[in-house]
Amino acid sequence: MSEVNLSKIDLNLLVALEVLLEERHVSKSAARLGLSQPAMSRTLGRLRAVFDDPLIVRTQSGYEPTARAEKLENSLKAVLGEIRGVFASAEFDPATAEDTFRLSTLDYSELVIFPEFMSRLRKAAPGVKVDVQQRSIFSINDIEAGTTDMSIGVMPKNLPKHCRAEKLFEDDYVCVMHADHPLASRALTLEGYLAFPHSTIDTGKSAGSAVDDALARVGAERRVLKRSPHFIASLFSLGKSDLLQTVPRRLASPLLAPANLVLNELPFEVDPIALSQLWHARDHDHPPHRWLREQMRLAAQSV
């Protein structure tokens, strides 16, 4: 492979390509970059000449990236992340910062940690913004793709070498039911737990496995009638039903009174879940990112 002479390439084109692949729309990309649409079209033409590829093409459903562009997208975000790190200030002043941090999480983490986390940010960094993005419970694709700065939640056991993780806290499981449930006023037994139907959280291929694995160890199996990807809404939906739901304690506790629910200790042992923050190695030493992780760590410690 011949070496590319970077001095002959305008590296600003890479920034434009990053935006084009995110927006997949010439006019929207132009607006983000502060360019006119004709100027953006000319930039796209230059990009096509540099890469000898159309990069994005118009289809019936809008613009779509070519196969070459799809391969470029992840590596492009990594390269630009490194370049931005090179030029970033060695210091980070939260009081004057206007960064926007993209955090990928489920509503469990947002309910449990974010009240304290956002309180800390509002006091220390009033100009900082947070963009919360939905994530699959075991997915790290958003970190690898560079579409999020940090992911909060339960992480897979075997992480890629380019990912870093830090455990924030552990949470144990409890059984939750409506206050008028037949089991609400008595200690929960395994027989009672198995006698009623269950609602579960389903946010990934391994959802519910900790509880089901624990039941399997005692030779039991629950009857699941309802699955939902929503932690908070699923608990509120227990009203006026005889469904039981097994969820992390820190999720259930603040919702007991608002949703008219009661909490019961499980009659069998379930392995606790570990909530972690995950980031890409390219951001590890970036001052704003270090500060962000510290705020999340301190917020989690106060939970």
Side-chain angles (χ1 to χ4, degrees), residues 180-242:
D180 296 327
H181 195 283
L183 299 179
S185 60
R186 66 183 74 173
L188 192 60
T189 65
L190 181 59
E191 182 182 10
Y193 184 86
L194 298 175
F196 287 88
H198 289 255
S199 169
T200 66
I201 304 296
D202 187 358
T203 55
K205 62 182 180 180
S206 299
S209 62
V211 176
D212 294 324
D213 289 347
L215 286 170
R217 288 195 291 270
V218 296
E221 183 178 0
R222 59 182 172 171
R223 181 164 52 101
V224 176
L225 292 189
K226 175 177 174 286
R227 300 182 185 274
S228 169
H230 307 121
F231 281 88
I232 297 172
S234 67
L235 286 177
F236 275 88
S237 73
L238 295 179
K240 300 181 181 180
S241 81
D242 62 349

Side-chain angles (χ1 to χ4, degrees), residues 33-302:
L33 293 169
L35 300 175
S36 66
Q37 183 166 342
M40 191 70 231
S41 296
R42 289 193 296 271
T43 298
L44 176 56
R46 293 174 63 194
L47 282 164
R48 285 168 168 167
V50 168
F51 289 98
D52 191 24
D53 187 88
L55 297 176
I56 60 171
V57 294
R58 190 188 293 273
T59 68
Q60 289 183 344
S61 58
Y63 285 100
E64 293 293 338
T66 63
R68 175 80 188 280
E70 288 183 338
K71 290 181 179 179
L72 284 170
E73 190 166 10
N74 287 351
S75 58
L76 179 64
K77 288 186 177 297
V79 167
L80 289 177
E82 294 285 353
I83 293 174
R84 288 172 180 133
V86 168
F87 289 100
S89 170
E91 301 296 331
F92 176 71
D93 183 5
T96 60
E98 295 184 349
D99 300 60
T100 297
F101 293 114
R102 301 164 302 172
L103 302 180
S104 172
T105 188
L106 296 169
D107 56 348
Y108 163 53
S109 306
E110 192 169 0
L111 174 70
V112 173
I113 306 178
F114 273 55
E116 176 64 24
F117 174 68
M118 293 306 301
S119 175
R120 298 186 66 86
L121 263 59
R122 291 298 299 141
K123 292 174 183 176
V128 163
K129 303 177 184 66
V130 173
D131 181 8
V132 178
Q133 302 169 339
Q134 179 73 12
R135 73 180 290 266
S136 171
I137 191 167
F138 287 113
S139 174
I140 59 173
N141 293 339
D142 44 8
I143 291 291
E144 294 181 306
T147 56
T148 193
D149 298 306
M150 193 161 69
S151 188
I152 314 296
V154 177
M155 301 302 167
K157 293 181 179 179
N158 299 315
L159 292 173
K161 292 182 179 179
H162 54 264
C163 288
R164 308 287 175 84
E166 176 188 14
K167 186 168 76 172
L168 297 172
F169 59 73
E170 288 189 347
D171 203 354
D172 62 328
Y173 284 94
V174 294
C175 183
V176 178
M177 63 200 76
H178 192 262
D180 296 327
H181 195 283
L183 299 179
S185 60
R186 66 183 74 173
L188 192 60
T189 65
L190 181 59
E191 182 182 10
Y193 184 86
L194 298 175
F196 287 88
H198 289 255
S199 169
T200 66
I201 304 296
D202 187 358
T203 55
K205 62 182 180 180
S206 299
S209 62
V211 176
D212 294 324
D213 289 347
L215 286 170
R217 288 195 291 270
V218 296
E221 183 178 0
R222 59 182 172 171
R223 181 164 52 101
V224 176
L225 292 189
K226 175 177 174 286
R227 300 182 185 274
S228 169
H230 307 121
F231 281 88
I232 297 172
S234 67
L235 286 177
F236 275 88
S237 73
L238 295 179
K240 300 181 181 180
S241 81
D242 62 349
L243 291 172
L244 304 176
Q245 187 156 325
T246 306
V247 296
R249 185 184 301 272
R250 285 186 172 93
L251 169 69
S253 295
L255 300 178
L256 295 179
N260 195 25
L261 303 174
V262 296
L263 178 155
N264 235 320
E265 302 296 332
L266 290 173
F268 53 93
E269 294 291 329
V270 181
D271 295 334
I273 63 168
L275 201 78
S276 302
Q277 55 181 346
L278 177 79
W279 63 96
H280 200 284
R282 63 175 171 260
D283 294 320
H284 185 70
D285 294 318
H286 189 45
H289 205 283
R290 287 205 309 265
W291 179 83
L292 174 70
R293 299 195 305 266
E294 177 68 11
Q295 302 314 302
M296 188 64 70
R297 181 185 309 114
L298 293 172
Q301 289 173 355
S302 72

